[in-house]
Amino acid sequence: MTYPNVLVMGYLRETRQLTPEWRMKLEDAINAGYQRILTFQTTDGGFEWYGRGSGDVRLSAYGALELSEMNKVYPIDTQVIDRAVKFLLSRMERNGWGDARLTAYVLWSLREAGVKDSRLDRVALWLAGQKVEDPYIQAMVVLATGQGVAELEAKADGEGRWVAKGEGIYHARGEMASMEATALGALALLQANRPADRSLTAIVRAKDPEGGWHSTQATI
């Protein structure tokens, strides 16, 4: 629950609804989660399912993304992020990190972490030039490169949703992958200063009875 708590605290701060009571509760929860996250960082700076051996590129990108968001609302040791970034850069090949899905995800994470590296510009150019048909991946490409938002927007259905054509970054399929694609698409539109009202409404309407979106990853 650490990532949702970070996002909730960011939202409450942004909308000026963060009371002292909620600040204390959220800071306690975030600190506990942060300490837990540290146990998954490996000696090479990456993150792994059990915190042993070598880091996993996908999980390390997730860790850098989450910790970058956390650092906006709760002070953490930024060297933890720096080590994850260094690990990800050490695993970068000429055109990124393998296929377009993973490359877009990692590049987005590094951009959110504020990384400035000329090699990332080269990867962004390669990524923007790939023929990508899956809206899930297209949304991450827009988030990572700022390119292709018009094509992505055109693929939304009448309710502002996108239907994923393959697996999500964490193996979601079917409706859950499409839910993630719609969330990523909404983020991409907002980043490009385009209206995302229909997409946000579709996301709200898709909530399950418990207030989430059926899976942890889709909810985050």
Side-chain angles (χ1 to χ4, degrees), residues 156-182:
D157 66 16
E159 296 184 11
R161 300 176 301 184
W162 286 269
V163 177
K165 296 184 178 181
E167 285 191 347
I169 193 69
Y170 290 97
H171 307 301
R173 294 186 179 185
E175 183 59 31
M176 287 302 93
S178 294
M179 190 71 259
E180 291 179 24
T182 299

Side-chain angles (χ1 to χ4, degrees), residues 79-214:
Q79 290 187 13
V80 178
I81 303 174
D82 294 342
R83 293 179 63 222
V85 166
K86 184 176 180 180
F87 168 80
L88 289 169
L89 292 176
S90 74
R91 295 300 182 91
M92 182 174 62
E93 300 174 358
R94 177 170 179 77
N95 292 325
W97 293 266
D99 61 15
R101 178 187 288 104
L102 183 58
T103 294
Y105 185 62
V106 177
L107 183 58
W108 174 36
S109 172
L110 293 173
R111 295 297 198 199
E112 288 295 310
V115 178
K116 304 294 184 183
D117 190 303
S118 60
R119 293 174 295 174
L120 297 184
D121 296 333
R122 184 185 66 227
V123 172
L125 285 173
W126 174 84
L127 194 57
Q130 298 306 296
K131 185 175 178 60
V132 176
E133 298 295 337
D134 188 344
Y136 188 110
I137 303 174
Q138 283 183 311
M140 290 196 296
V141 170
V142 174
L143 288 166
T145 69
Q147 304 296 313
V149 66
E151 293 83 356
L152 174 68
E153 191 172 25
K155 285 192 174 182
D157 66 16
E159 296 184 11
R161 300 176 301 184
W162 286 269
V163 177
K165 296 184 178 181
E167 285 191 347
I169 193 69
Y170 290 97
H171 307 301
R173 294 186 179 185
E175 183 59 31
M176 287 302 93
S178 294
M179 190 71 259
E180 291 179 24
T182 299
L184 290 167
L187 279 174
L189 293 182
L190 292 169
Q191 177 179 276
N193 294 317
R194 295 187 181 235
D197 295 18
R198 289 185 308 154
S199 301
L200 294 173
T201 298
I203 290 170
V204 171
R205 287 176 175 171
K207 283 197 300 185
D208 61 33
E210 295 182 353
W213 283 267
H214 304 285

